[in-house]
């Protein structure tokens, strides 16, 4: 493929954590004394240490977690994020991508030894009502764990940081940068970040109107990629600074049959791909509903990917 630097890793690299989810055993408490027995056996408790429990949705920790889940601004101010579900938590911990600030487990669950170590023993057992409140889900059948994690250091919001310093800290002599223009669906955003990571690109640049990459759905779709790939959020001035600073060529994916700019859209070919192999590139992809912004259409060389058979554009 034109812009791929190396072949993507096998799906197993993302889908087979070394810590099995099946090793996470949930225990239903059958008798009043069972809670004390489970607590005494839990690896999260030291001798004389009390089991941390939260049963009320009015607890400050619960309010903090809900705000982290719902507010991108609050996540960025705290440099923390919420990850829901045991499978993604285990996957990200397997890759060693982020430190666990606090691990919340459904009351009656047993913490795996590996997660106990990574959480520093900061484990809190919560009621089903609290788990539903924090996760935003109606059922807790598949939601026995939630982790509050540190936001990766290589995430940079240029609206808060110095532009040049932030770019230099995140992108060091980049050759391939994926630029997302108004991607609003968190699942799509996470999948695109995961694809950039799979092809070993150097980072992702988010233009305004993109959803937050640390939205819970985006995190789940990225499968850990957003915690290992440099991500920068900025505006068009910041992007022009990046392009100028590193001498990058700007391409944008564009439907050949679209009315805006189609007369100067190039069809992707082997010849075009070969001519770009030694270039430093930014590839801009537009939103699902609106396509590319006018700024992108004017600033980039437009490239369409030929498709076999008949298809419809909506």
């Amino acid at each position: 493929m034109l812009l791929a630097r190396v072949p993507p890793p096998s799906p197993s690299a993302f889908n087979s954590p070394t810590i099995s989810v099946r090793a996470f055993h949930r225990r239903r408490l059958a008798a009043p004394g069972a809670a004390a027995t489970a607590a005494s056996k839990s690896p999260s408790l030291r001798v004389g240490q009390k089991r941390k429990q939260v049963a009320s949705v009015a607890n400050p920790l619960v309010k903090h977690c809900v705000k982290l889940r719902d507010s991108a601004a609050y996540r960025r101010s705290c440099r923390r994020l919420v990850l829901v579900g045991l499978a993604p938590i285990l996957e990200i911990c397997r890759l060693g991508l982020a430190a666990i600030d606090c691990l919340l487990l459904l009351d009656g669950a047993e913490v795996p030894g590996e997660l106990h170590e990574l959480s520093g023993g900061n484990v809190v057992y919560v009621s089903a009502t609290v788990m539903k409140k924090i996760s935003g889900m109606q059922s807790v059948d598949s939601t026995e764990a939630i982790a509050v994690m540190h936001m990766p250091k290589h995430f940079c919001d240029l609206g808060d940081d110095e532009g040049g310093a932030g770019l230099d800290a995140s992108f060091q002599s980049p050759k391939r940068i994926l630029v997302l223009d108004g991607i609003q669906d968190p699942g799509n955003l996470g999948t695109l970040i995961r694809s950039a990571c799979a092809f070993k690109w150097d980072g992702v640049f988010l233009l305004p109107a993109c959803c937050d990459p640390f939205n819970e759905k985006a995190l789940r779709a990225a499968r850990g990629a957003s915690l290992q790939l440099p991500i920068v959020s900025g505006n068009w001035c910041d992007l022009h600074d990046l392009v100028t600073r590193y001498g990058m060529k700007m391409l944008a994916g564009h439907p050949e049959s679209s009315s805006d700019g189609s007369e100067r859209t190039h069809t992707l070919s082997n010849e075009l791909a070969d001519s770009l192999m030694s270039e430093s590139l930014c590839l801009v992809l537009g939103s699902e509903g609106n396509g590319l912004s006018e700024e992108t259409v004017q600033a980039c060389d437009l490239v369409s990917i030929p498709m076999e058979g008949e298809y419809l554009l909506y």
Side-chain angles (χ1 to χ4, degrees), residues 90-290:
L90 291 174
E91 200 161 23
I92 286 172
C93 288
R94 174 181 63 86
L95 296 171
L97 300 177
I100 296 177
D101 222 23
C102 177
L103 182 65
L104 300 116
L105 296 179
L106 189 62
D107 220 2
E110 182 178 329
V111 57
E114 295 86 351
L115 284 186
H116 169 253
E117 294 174 6
L118 291 167
S119 65
N122 192 12
V123 179
V124 179
Y125 292 86
V126 302
S127 65
T129 302
V130 167
M131 188 64 78
K132 289 178 184 178
K133 179 71 173 178
I134 296 175
S135 68
M137 299 180 181
Q138 294 301 312
S139 172
V140 296
D141 289 343
S142 60
T143 312
E144 295 185 323
I146 292 176
V148 178
M149 291 183 157
H150 292 257
M151 193 172 286
K153 294 179 180 179
H154 52 242
F155 171 72
C156 175
D157 186 343
L158 297 178
D160 300 329
D161 302 299
E162 295 181 9
L167 287 174
D168 288 338
S170 299
F171 302 140
Q172 299 178 2
S173 301
K175 295 292 291 181
R176 296 289 187 272
I177 296 293
L178 177 63
V179 180
L180 301 181
D181 183 7
I183 305 294
Q184 298 173 349
D185 182 272
N188 289 350
L189 184 107
T191 300
L192 288 168
I193 293 174
R194 184 181 178 189
S195 298
C197 185
F199 283 107
K200 296 190 181 299
W201 281 32
D202 299 302
V204 175
F205 190 102
L206 304 178
L207 286 167
C210 282
C211 65
D212 188 75
F214 304 112
N215 171 294
E216 195 273 324
K217 292 181 180 178
L219 278 173
R220 186 180 292 273
R223 299 297 288 270
S226 48
L227 298 181
Q228 59 184 309
L229 195 67
I231 299 175
V232 169
S233 177
N235 57 33
W236 261 100
C237 290
D238 299 319
L239 181 57
H240 282 304
D241 187 18
L242 171 67
V243 169
T244 302
R245 184 182 297 261
Y246 297 110
M248 307 188 81
K249 186 179 182 65
M250 296 186 68
L251 301 178
H254 192 269
E256 190 175 16
S257 60
S258 180
S259 59
D260 60 322
S262 59
E263 69 281 356
R264 51 189 188 86
T265 300
H266 306 283
T267 300
L268 182 60
S269 63
N270 289 334
E271 292 75 18
L272 178 60
D274 290 342
S275 71
L276 296 170
M277 286 299 292
S278 61
E279 298 265 12
S280 296
L281 298 174
C282 283
L283 174 65
V284 187
L285 299 180
S287 72
E288 308 83 349
N290 300 322

Side-chain angles (χ1 to χ4, degrees), residues 65-88:
C65 292
V66 171
K67 199 169 181 180
L68 283 176
R69 189 197 72 205
D70 291 342
S71 171
Y74 188 69
R75 283 193 291 271
R76 296 185 185 191
S77 66
C78 296
R79 300 290 300 184
R80 298 291 187 275
L81 56 89
V82 167
L83 194 59
V84 177
L86 179 64

